[in-house]
Amino acid sequence: MGLFNYTVAGGAFILIGAWESLVSISDALKNSSPPSTLSTDKHTQDSIFFSSITFILIFILSFLFILNSLLSFFDALNSKDNIGSVLQLQVFAISLLFFLYSVLGLMTRLKKSFLLPSPILNLLCLFAFTEEFLLFYLQRKDPSGVENRYYDLLLVPITICAFCSYLELKNPKSSYTRLGRGIGLILQGMWILQMGFAFFSDLIAQGCSLHEKSRGNYTVKCKGHPEYHRGRAIATLQFNCHLALLVTVICFVYSIVCKKNGISHEHMRYRPIGAEMQHLEMDSQAHFTLDSDEEDNENGIKEEMSVEMQKAIEPVPESETNGYHTRP
């Protein structure tokens, strides 16, 4: 594979992921609207049409992968590269699973006589993503090669796609699982593009170079230990930049969709930390009364006033002088 192959593969993954995400968002918005007979029939026809386009795109991409893996397999045989030939057989098996998934999906959408339960399609898709995960997880042609770091980071979007396919297997009618899988496909396509530019262009880490044994078997070697560390660090930084860019694009598209469909953003507005607690404290202080304390103080004042009045009313006893009373 070269830069052209990586560019085509990455662009196709991004296209399929973006289409899958938009279709899932439209399905979620239509499901939230009040149902009617005409709208339900139209929604069913639209979902069949959109899903058919998705299967057509997967069919084309998987067919191209099958052709590329066959070319790489024969090139490895001519170059007497046993590792490259075995590796291309694995890629061929994964591509064949996705090809079978697309063909069966198209047959269920276009032919009413061909009835295939949706869990079988979801299970086939889950097996394909699982095998793809194992391919890049166990691929260690050169243990010290910098490309292994790129393969390790590629496991993140593959895991997202596999997990969403598993959730779809349990709940086939959920549109959020398709949305998550679409986002995973977009991130996978972006990272495949980055791998192509990193391996087959001058954008590779300084001090590292590509060593190709056959068409599908290559490794990225560096001059020394510091160059290996720098190459792996650059790969991690690139992946973080791709992830941040994807999150920014998702938030931008989500805001446009919400504005177009009249969805409020009250729950997303910024609220200072502790503002609710301060509001509660102000309300409690405004409604807080000391009725009990005031009553106690009033009772105490009334008791003191009654005691003083009783003292004033009591007659003053006659004064005594040397123990004798004075006569009037």
Side-chain angles (χ1 to χ4, degrees):
M1 296 181 72
L3 179 59
F4 176 76
N5 295 334
Y6 271 91
T7 304
V8 173
F13 271 102
I14 293 174
L15 179 62
I16 295 173
W19 180 259
E20 188 78 2
S21 302
L22 292 175
V23 171
S24 61
I25 291 174
S26 64
D27 289 341
L29 294 175
K30 290 177 181 178
N31 291 331
S32 61
S33 61
S36 63
T37 306
L38 296 177
S39 62
T40 302
D41 296 337
K42 189 176 183 301
H43 174 60
T44 304
Q45 295 176 359
D46 292 342
S47 61
I48 293 174
F49 174 73
F50 291 146
S51 59
S52 299
I53 293 179
T54 304
F55 286 123
I56 290 173
L57 293 175
I58 296 174
F59 174 84
I60 296 173
L61 179 61
S62 58
F63 182 73
L64 292 176
F65 265 98
I66 289 174
L67 290 179
N68 183 74
S69 61
L70 290 176
L71 292 175
S72 300
F73 175 75
F74 289 115
D75 183 74
L77 290 179
N78 294 330
S79 302
K80 296 181 180 180
D81 184 13
N82 296 327
I83 297 178
S85 59
V86 172
L87 179 63
Q88 294 307 314
L89 289 177
Q90 296 177 356
V91 176
F92 178 81
I94 298 172
S95 304
L96 195 60
L97 281 176
F98 281 109
F99 183 81
L100 182 61
Y101 169 76
S102 61
V103 170
L104 293 177
L106 282 174
M107 292 179 66
T108 54
R109 296 298 187 276
L110 300 179
K111 289 186 177 182
K112 297 182 180 179
S113 59
F114 185 80
L115 298 177
L116 185 67
S118 58
I120 295 179
L121 284 176
N122 298 331
L123 188 62
L124 187 62
C125 183
L126 177 61
F127 284 161
F129 280 118
T130 304
E131 190 171 353
E132 185 183 7
F133 180 88
L134 293 176
L135 171 66
F136 289 101
Y137 180 75
L138 300 175
Q139 188 175 155
R140 292 292 185 273
K141 303 183 296 294
D142 184 9
S144 60
V146 178
E147 76 277 0
N148 293 324
R149 183 58 180 170
Y150 286 87
Y151 295 152
D152 292 339
L153 294 171
L154 185 61
L155 297 178
V156 176
I158 297 175
T159 304
I160 295 174
C161 296
F163 182 70
C164 292
S165 300
Y166 172 75
L167 294 179
E168 189 179 11
L169 185 64
K170 304 185 86 175
N171 189 9
K173 296 182 179 180
S174 177
S175 58
Y176 296 103
T177 56
R178 297 176 60 188
L179 177 61
R181 187 169 58 193
I183 294 173
L185 289 173
I186 294 174
L187 182 59
Q188 187 173 351
M190 293 170 61
W191 192 239
I192 289 174
L193 283 176
Q194 180 62 55
M195 289 169 58
F197 283 105
F199 296 161
F200 300 97
S201 68
D202 297 333
L203 298 177
I204 197 169
Q206 187 177 3
C208 300
S209 60
L210 180 69
H211 296 268
E212 190 173 3
K213 297 181 180 179
S214 63
R215 191 172 182 272
N217 185 14
Y218 49 83
T219 181
V220 180
K221 294 184 178 180
C222 300
K223 294 181 180 179
H225 195 67
E227 285 78 7
Y228 277 113
H229 276 288
R230 184 170 62 249
R232 295 188 181 96
I234 290 175
T236 305
L237 181 61
Q238 290 172 348
F239 185 81
N240 293 334
C241 292
H242 280 279
L243 188 60
L245 177 62
L246 181 61
V247 172
T248 304
V249 172
I250 290 172
C251 293
F252 178 73
V253 174
Y254 176 76
S255 62
I256 293 177
V257 172
C258 291
K259 185 178 181 180
K260 184 178 180 181
N261 293 274
I263 300 175
S264 61
H265 294 76
E266 294 293 335
H267 62 283
M268 296 186 65
R269 289 184 177 179
Y270 172 74
R271 295 179 181 177
I273 298 176
E276 295 181 356
M277 297 298 298
Q278 293 178 1
H279 182 67
L280 291 175
E281 290 178 357
M282 291 176 65
D283 290 343
S284 62
Q285 290 178 1
H287 295 88
F288 181 72
T289 57
L290 298 174
D291 294 339
S292 59
D293 294 341
E294 290 179 357
E295 291 178 356
D296 294 339
N297 292 333
E298 290 179 357
N299 294 331
I301 294 171
K302 290 179 179 179
E303 290 179 356
E304 292 179 357
M305 291 178 64
S306 62
V307 171
E308 291 179 355
M309 290 178 67
Q310 289 178 2
K311 290 182 178 179
I313 295 171
E314 288 180 357
V316 180
E318 298 178 352
S319 60
E320 298 180 356
T321 304
N322 296 327
Y324 295 99
H325 294 283
T326 58
R327 294 182 179 179

